Structure formats: C-alpha cells, structure tokens
Amino acid sequence: MDYIKACSVYQNELSRRLVLITLIYYKLVTAVNIFEACDEDNKGYLSREDFKVAVVMLFGYKPSKVEVDSVMSSVRPRNSSNTLLFEKFLNLMSAMKAAQLYSNETRKMFSAFAAQDRGFLTFEDFQRAFNSVSPKLSEKNHIEAQREVDQDSDGRTSFKEFESAMKYRQDEVSPVYFA
C-alpha cells in the first residue's frame, strides 16, 4: 500500500510540474509576441521605453526607475546603445515569470501549513504539516526545523521567514538565478 501511495504522490508532483512547465512555456510564447509588438520598427531590440511597455504588458505593472536602470545597465557593457536585445529580454522575462510562479507557490504552501489565517505559523502548524507529510519524523526534528525557520526566535514564523527558508540555497541550484 505504501508503494501505491508513493506512486500517487510522485504522479501528483509530476502533474504539478508539467502544469508549471506549460505555464512557463505559454508565458515565453507570450513574451516573444510582446517583444515583437514593442519592437514596432523591427529593430531587433527594445529601447528603455519599449522595455517599460513590455513589462506592463507581461506583468501588469509599470517597472520602477530603479528596476529599468538595473536592466539597462546590465546590457550596457556589451551594447553601447543601451538597448535590450531579444535574447536578453527573453532571459529576463523568463526569470521574472519563474520567480513570480515560485513566489505564488510559496504563498500557497505557507497557507496550507497555517491552521488559521493569522499571518504566521506556530510550532503546532509545523508539527501538523510534518506529521501529514512524514509521520515518522521525530518531534525533535520538528522543533529543530521550526527553530531554524523562526529567525527572530519569537515562536512564530512569518511569511517572510518561511519564504527565506524556502529560498535557502536556491541560487545554487535554480536556473532562474542564472538568466
């Protein structure tokens, strides 16, 4: 019976990842279409203003001056005209969309851990989550995990602390940070 349950969990995880990959692919196709729409003269690059319009179209918000400056300065050394070439645009938008999806998944996970919508997790929330996922894990491990995540040691784990724990060492393994 444990084997069947493990296969079911594995199949659910594969299905979830397939949905995420499909969403990311759809967003990449959308990014290509948006790049083409913002590159009205078919120059093969986006100006600073073109980039702002593209971000609004893709993400629904106007990027800050700091965000635009950061992106444009990242292309400046190789591109003296201060424009954003298609490949760099695609890499940036892929990374931004993947980060957005990851953040949404983290928020859902935090909410699933929380027994009540208080804005923080208690030790009991951790214990219940660990018992449902890994019932053989000792209470000592529950305590250690909760202490590790609770950075300010107030006995509560805020979303910010939870998100920080979920991102721990992600820059070493995630392609999002290499785009």
Side-chain angles (χ1 to χ4, degrees):
M1 192 65 170
D2 288 334
Y3 176 74
I4 293 171
K5 185 176 180 180
C7 287
S8 176
V9 169
Y10 181 70
Q11 183 178 12
N12 288 340
E13 179 63 18
L14 284 177
S15 296
R16 188 183 68 79
R17 288 182 183 196
L18 183 60
V19 168
L20 285 175
I21 289 168
T22 304
L23 284 171
I24 291 170
Y25 175 76
Y26 171 75
K27 291 300 180 180
L28 289 176
V29 170
T30 303
V32 170
N33 293 336
I34 288 174
F35 183 91
E36 291 171 352
C38 293
D39 180 18
E40 292 177 357
D41 300 331
N42 295 323
K43 307 172 296 277
Y45 61 85
L46 299 181
S47 68
R48 181 182 187 86
E49 292 305 311
D50 294 338
F51 173 70
K52 287 184 203 177
V53 172
V55 170
V56 169
M57 291 173 73
L58 266 172
F59 297 100
Y61 77 93
K62 181 181 176 187
S64 68
K65 182 181 182 325
V66 172
E67 188 175 2
V68 174
D69 288 346
S70 173
V71 167
M72 295 318 248
S73 68
S74 74
V75 298
R76 192 172 293 141
R78 288 169 267 154
N79 184 348
S80 61
S81 63
N82 202 23
T83 57
L84 189 59
L85 299 174
F86 175 72
E87 184 179 342
K88 181 70 174 180
F89 172 79
L90 198 55
N91 287 340
L92 286 167
M93 295 304 103
S94 299
M96 287 174 69
K97 185 48 74 177
Q100 184 183 48
L101 287 171
Y102 182 79
S103 181
N104 291 342
E105 287 292 312
T106 303
R107 176 59 75 177
K108 287 178 188 173
M109 205 178 309
F110 181 82
S111 296
F113 269 51
Q116 300 171 358
D117 192 17
R118 298 176 293 231
F120 61 87
L121 301 175
T122 63
F123 172 72
E124 290 76 21
D125 294 329
F126 270 88
Q127 198 166 26
R128 187 176 39 267
F130 284 129
N131 284 336
S132 71
V133 173
S134 183
K136 294 182 182 181
L137 200 61
S138 72
E139 186 170 334
K140 179 183 176 189
N141 288 337
H142 298 177
I143 294 168
E144 288 175 14
Q146 204 269 339
R147 281 186 186 156
E148 186 74 28
V149 176
D150 182 17
Q151 296 169 354
D152 60 6
S153 301
D154 65 353
R156 303 177 185 187
T157 301
S158 68
F159 176 72
K160 184 177 178 181
E161 291 170 323
F162 184 80
E163 184 178 40
S164 176
M166 295 302 292
K167 287 181 178 178
Y168 182 71
R169 298 185 74 153
Q170 284 295 313
D171 57 337
E172 295 176 12
V173 296
S174 175
V176 170
Y177 294 91
F178 296 108

